[in-house]
């Protein structure tokens, strides 16, 4: 049957993948309350479309950290993509490049920074997990820089791994024929089988729980690449991130895989945007599955969004063609949303184009429409 939207890939991936792999990709932490909210909160935002505007030409292009891309839809880092498809990260890199957008490569990729760079030209960011052994980190960042990656997305929400119960039940571990390629030569590329989630044990053994704001500064002493702080959910941390020299912020709850009962990212976005005061761009990931979701995030002040699960699910279903199709469907839906709400360029998308169910109108302002 023809695929007509991004979410349809999940069911196909479920059929195709071993249960351990599908569950790792799909699941969230604990009660998965935040996992549900990441999607649900988008449905609590309605449009206030403007009419009779000439929308015969729509421009979706934008600039991220100085790099021009074809649309504000980018690829979030998701680990271990060769579990989904033999071409894994290569396929994702090629699909992103063909779509004229940015791919973020995970530290825990099953392809190395050099291998991904060798797939051809493309604007790529590198997601960094900070290991206890800082030599490992410094070496990896230098390799990413040399391989032409343009920014570091520093993940800050993972001092320990969230409690993902499916992974515990399945005794999740990286299949033996794969390695975390970036760490292969460092003897950190394998994941042992454990009495719970093998990944949780790996994180407990290798990832630095002491990570703090001073390390964001340290990172700037070992690289000239701009640093995006990935995993901010509050105004307080937004201000600290900017003080620490972040070039941008990614509002993220790690696809609801870390702390459960944090708000949906789309609900946290505006607080962060206000605190950033336009000093650095703010991006969002979490639950984006429709062009309308992209529009809503931009209306709330995001400079762009990233998608996670749609990439691994489409990769599992159709490889590179699947990821291309996901990016194409989101592009077309977003373009249509812009046209139907009367916006011809990203700068024409404003806060007045949407209304959120959760906002309480200040006294004397216009009443909320009946929903
Ligand atoms: C992730 N995410 C993630 N984040 C990160 O910083 N490093 C990583 O290696 C991974 N790996 C990873 C694997 C899988 C299977 C998922 C689903 C997620 C989080 C990811 O970058 C992003 O924040 C979310 O995936 C966004 O939410 P959606 O689009 O999946 O709802």
């Amino acid at each position: 049957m023809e695929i007509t939207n991004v979410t349809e890939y999940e069911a196909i991936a479920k059929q195709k993948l071993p249960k351990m792999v599908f569950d790792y990709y799909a699941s969230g932490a604990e009660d998965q309350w935040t996992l549900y909210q990441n999607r649900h909160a988008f449905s609590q935002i309605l449009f206030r479309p403007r009419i009779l505007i000439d929308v015969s030409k729509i421009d979706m292009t934008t600039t991220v950290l100085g790099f021009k891309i074809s649309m504000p839809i980018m690829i979030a880092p998701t680990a271990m993509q060769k579990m989904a498809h033999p071409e894994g990260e290569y396929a994702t890199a090629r699909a992103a490049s063909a779509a004229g957008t940015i791919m973020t490569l995970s530290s825990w990729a099953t392809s190395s920074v050099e291998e991904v760079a060798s797939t051809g030209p493309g604007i790529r960011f590198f997601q960094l997990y900070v290991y206890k052994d800082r030599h490992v980190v410094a070496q990896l960042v230098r390799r990413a820089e040399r391989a032409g990656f343009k920014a570091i997305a520093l993940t800050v929400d993972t001092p320990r791994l969230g409690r993902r119960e499916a992974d515990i039940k399945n005794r999740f571990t990286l299949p033996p024929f794969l390695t975390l390629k970036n760490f292969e030569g460092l003897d950190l590329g394998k994941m042992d089988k454990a009495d719970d989630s093998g990944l949780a044990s790996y994180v407990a053994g290798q990832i630095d729980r002491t990570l703090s704001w001073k390390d964001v500064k340290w990172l700037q002493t070992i690289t000239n690449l701009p640093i995006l702080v990935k995993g901010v959910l509050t105004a307080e941390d937004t201000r600290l991130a900017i003080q620490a020299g972040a070039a941008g912020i990614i509002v993220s709850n790690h696809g609801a895989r870390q702390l459960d009962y944090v708000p949906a990212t789309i609900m946290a976005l505006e607080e962060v945007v206000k605190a950033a005061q336009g000093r650095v761009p703010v991006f969002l990931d979490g639950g984006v599955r429709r062009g309308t979701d992209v529009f809503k995030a931009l209306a709330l002040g995001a400079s762009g969004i990233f998608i996670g699960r749609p990439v691994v699910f489409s990769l599992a279903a159709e490889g590179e063609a699947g990821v291309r199709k996901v990016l194409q469907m989101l592009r077309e839906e977003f373009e249509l949303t812009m046209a139907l709400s009367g916006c011809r360029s990203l700068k024409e998308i404003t806060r007045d184009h949407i209304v959120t169910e959760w906002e309480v109108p200040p006294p004397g302002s216009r009443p909320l429409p009946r929903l």
Side-chain angles (χ1 to χ4, degrees):
M1 213 188 12
E2 189 188 345
I3 303 273
T4 52
N5 70 70
V6 163
T7 57
E8 288 172 354
Y9 278 118
E10 179 163 353
I12 301 172
K14 188 169 188 175
Q15 279 175 1
K16 283 201 157 187
L17 291 173
K19 180 174 161 50
M20 180 193 78
V21 173
F22 176 80
D23 285 355
Y24 167 70
Y25 288 155
S27 60
E30 299 187 359
D31 297 335
Q32 308 193 112
W33 184 87
T34 298
L35 187 64
Y36 171 76
Q37 291 296 327
N38 268 0
R39 285 294 307 131
H40 176 67
F42 278 109
S43 71
Q44 292 180 288
I45 303 174
L46 303 183
F47 287 107
R48 299 181 68 249
R50 301 300 308 277
I51 52 167
L52 293 179
I53 294 168
D54 173 356
V55 289
S56 56
K57 288 196 187 70
I58 304 275
D59 178 9
M60 288 181 286
T61 60
T62 189
T63 302
V64 170
L65 302 179
F67 297 99
K68 190 158 186 195
I69 52 176
S70 69
M71 58 179 177
I73 301 166
M74 296 168 278
I75 295 187
T78 51
M80 304 175 242
Q81 295 183 359
K82 283 191 179 172
M83 295 192 306
H85 189 274
E87 297 208 344
E89 292 85 5
Y90 306 139
T92 305
R94 290 194 194 104
S97 169
T101 194
I102 292 166
M103 170 199 186
T104 315
L105 183 73
S106 167
S107 275
W108 294 337
T110 38
S111 315
S112 67
V113 285
E114 293 84 5
E115 287 171 333
V116 170
S118 76
T119 59
I123 304 157
R124 301 185 185 107
F125 295 168
F126 180 70
Q127 176 270 328
L128 184 67
Y129 280 127
V130 177
Y131 279 56
K132 289 176 184 168
D133 183 343
R134 293 304 170 89
H135 296 298
V136 167
V137 179
Q139 201 183 334
L140 187 55
V141 167
R142 237 171 279 131
R143 279 170 58 199
E145 208 167 341
R146 237 179 283 135
F149 285 70
K150 301 297 185 207
I152 300 290
L154 175 68
T155 300
V156 294
D157 56 15
T158 313
R160 297 171 59 175
L161 202 73
R163 194 175 164 79
R164 307 167 190 173
E165 294 183 8
D167 294 351
I168 299 170
K169 286 192 210 304
N170 294 333
R171 301 281 185 262
F172 173 78
T173 193
L174 185 65
F177 58 93
L178 294 173
T179 53
L180 303 179
K181 261 293 169 97
N182 288 315
F183 301 97
E184 201 176 39
L186 300 161
D187 238 17
L188 294 166
K190 287 284 177 192
M191 207 176 285
D192 294 330
K193 248 197 164 330
D195 269 350
D196 57 13
S197 155
L199 184 60
S201 304
Y202 182 85
V203 169
Q206 302 303 335
I207 299 303
D208 191 351
R209 291 185 192 183
T210 72
L211 196 72
S212 70
W213 288 110
K214 70 176 184 337
D215 297 306
V216 180
K217 294 227 162 108
W218 168 76
L219 201 52
Q220 291 162 76
T221 67
I222 64 162
T223 181
N224 292 321
L225 293 178
I227 296 164
L228 299 173
V229 177
K230 175 176 183 282
V232 172
L233 291 170
T234 63
E236 295 89 319
D237 284 337
T238 304
R239 288 189 281 267
L240 289 171
I242 294 170
Q243 271 171 28
I249 285 166
I250 305 176
V251 174
S252 173
N253 53 32
H254 211 116
R257 295 156 76 82
Q258 287 296 107
L259 181 62
D260 199 14
Y261 296 96
V262 294
T265 49
I266 194 68
M267 287 184 78
L269 175 63
E270 205 164 25
E271 171 178 332
V272 171
V273 166
K274 283 185 178 152
Q277 296 181 317
R279 283 178 291 177
V280 297
V282 175
F283 304 95
L284 170 136
D285 72 29
V288 176
R289 302 291 181 266
R290 284 284 190 187
T292 50
D293 300 336
V294 180
F295 186 103
K296 289 169 182 179
L298 267 61
L300 286 166
S303 295
I305 64 87
F306 293 83
I307 50 168
R309 290 181 185 82
V311 172
V312 283
F313 293 150
S314 59
L315 200 53
E318 293 172 0
E320 180 184 334
V323 183
R324 279 180 187 243
K325 177 129 196 213
V326 157
L327 292 169
Q328 184 60 21
M329 286 190 295
L330 286 175
R331 180 199 301 281
E332 283 169 10
E333 287 179 6
F334 179 54
E335 184 183 37
L336 181 61
T337 307
M338 286 179 70
L340 297 181
S341 50
C343 297
R344 293 162 295 192
S345 68
L346 303 192
K347 68 175 187 313
E348 287 188 354
I349 299 175
T350 70
R351 185 62 175 84
D352 289 336
H353 286 95
I354 57 159
V355 59
T356 66
E357 261 184 42
W358 62 78
E359 67 194 338
V360 181
S365 73
R366 64 183 153 73
L368 282 175
R370 274 185 168 297
L371 299 173

